[in-house]
Amino acid sequence: MRAIVVRSFGAKPELAEMPTPEPGAGAVRIQVEAAGVNPFDRKMADGILDGKLPHDFPMILGVDGAGTVAAVGPGVTKFGVGDRVVGKFLFPPVGHGSFAEYSVLPEDATLVSIPDGVPTITAAALPTAGVTAQDIVDATKIEPDQRVLIVGATGGVGSFLVQLANIAGAHVIATARGPAADQMTRLGAAETVDYTRGSIAERVAAAHPDGVDALFDLVSPPGVLAELTTLVRDGGTVYSTIWSADPDALRDRGIRGGNIESFGRGPELTRLLDRVAAGDVVVPIDATVPLNAGPSVIGATGARGKTVLAI
């Protein structure tokens, strides 16, 4: 089968021929039809999990994937051949990901059925970005009319955060450049701030002198996040997805949150899929590329929404 692999940490991703895996006890083999691309894929290739989990090389990349159950191992009870499924293809040993024509994973991994009416390619864009956004909104416990500033709103996680915060009743302020502002408005942002036209902090402070209730920052380094945090009311909430928050500084002001790592699994993914099926959440796919072009988009930046490999 074809797969995108790295042969060592830091190596350039490449398309390679790999053996088709066989499912063992309690595992299923998925014929992968679509795989979502995330910034974490490049980090995984560079060894972010080295020393934390065992790895197999050549390491097949890809965390998010969707497709059809092609075979089941002994003892499998949750899924049958032909079921449409989506999930996270990250489990030890690392290296058996979704950027491949077939992948095997345990049936008790983050793997759920795709509802009727949700295209497989749409489902593949959800697991990492969508569940991360859902975890942030759940942890914040947003109340109606609270002001929420989302920095990095046009990316994968941000696009879902705008929608989920809006559904929760928030007044969403999203950073967006140029034409992307219209997209953010359609997804539920009440205001947009063009970060190319001056300081975000100064512009938000001028528009909201009483501050905002929550800041979700997906892109800012520590110094920039510290400046933006001054916009948040004492007792508010700040979350960084790239570990830029200073917990001690937040604690001094009674601000909740900090650096968040998503631990959402099947129930959170199922909840998101149900919202997509109902039309309440849109999955913004910026680009769909074939598997053989996948190495060129791993680690790429600037997408408005999600990039998906069509396998």
Side-chain angles (χ1 to χ4, degrees):
M1 69 172 187
R2 297 177 303 151
I4 296 175
V5 307
V6 290
R7 300 188 183 276
S8 62
F9 291 130
K12 183 178 180 181
E14 61 180 272
L15 192 67
E17 286 291 329
M18 296 288 289
T20 301
E22 294 294 333
V28 298
R29 181 170 70 202
I30 310 300
Q31 181 174 359
V32 185
E33 298 168 22
V37 180
N38 298 287
F40 186 76
D41 299 318
R42 179 68 258 181
K43 295 177 182 178
M44 189 167 66
D46 288 341
I48 192 172
L49 297 178
D50 186 22
K52 299 177 182 178
L53 292 174
H55 290 66
D56 284 340
F57 289 95
M59 181 168 67
I60 301 174
L61 300 176
V63 175
D64 294 354
T68 304
V69 176
V72 299
V76 170
T77 59
K78 289 174 61 178
F79 302 102
V81 173
D83 289 351
R84 296 172 64 236
V85 293
V86 59
K88 292 184 179 181
F89 291 60
L90 179 59
F91 52 90
V94 177
H96 304 272
S98 59
F99 295 172
E101 292 178 307
Y102 292 92
S103 187
V104 166
L105 72 167
E107 71 165 338
D108 61 358
T110 300
L111 186 69
V112 302
S113 298
I114 302 173
D116 292 341
V118 177
T120 303
I121 201 164
T122 298
L126 272 174
T128 294
V131 171
T132 297
Q134 186 69 71
D135 285 350
I136 292 171
V137 170
D138 289 346
T140 304
K141 297 180 173 60
I142 294 171
E143 297 180 2
D145 298 324
Q146 286 188 323
R147 287 179 169 83
V148 174
L149 172 61
I150 302 174
V151 179
T154 57
V157 176
S159 295
F160 290 116
L161 267 177
V162 169
Q163 298 180 75
L164 295 174
N166 176 61
I167 290 171
H171 177 99
V172 177
I173 308 161
T175 62
R177 178 177 61 182
D182 289 339
Q183 180 190 18
M184 292 297 99
T185 300
R186 290 194 298 271
L187 293 179
E191 301 176 45
T192 58
V193 178
D194 188 338
Y195 54 87
T196 67
R197 295 186 176 182
S199 164
I200 295 172
E202 291 177 1
R203 297 177 67 190
V204 174
H208 301 281
D210 294 333
V212 299
D213 298 285
L215 165 63
F216 304 150
D217 197 310
L218 318 174
V219 295
S220 297
V224 176
L225 180 63
E227 180 186 14
L228 292 170
T229 299
T230 63
L231 299 168
V232 181
R233 297 171 181 168
D234 290 353
T237 302
V238 172
Y239 278 114
S240 167
T241 59
I242 62 168
W243 293 81
S244 291
D246 180 345
D248 292 335
L250 298 182
R251 195 177 302 114
D252 289 344
R253 294 183 51 205
I255 292 177
R256 298 184 300 118
N259 300 301
I260 190 166
E261 185 175 355
S262 175
F263 291 101
R265 297 195 64 196
E268 290 77 17
L269 181 54
T270 295
R271 181 156 41 121
L272 274 174
L273 285 162
D274 289 343
R275 283 176 159 171
V276 173
D280 296 328
V281 170
V282 174
V283 180
I285 295 177
D286 182 66
T288 303
V289 299
L291 180 65
N292 59 9
S296 67
V297 301
I298 296 172
T301 60
R304 296 184 199 163
K306 294 292 299 179
T307 298
V308 177
L309 303 184
I311 299 173

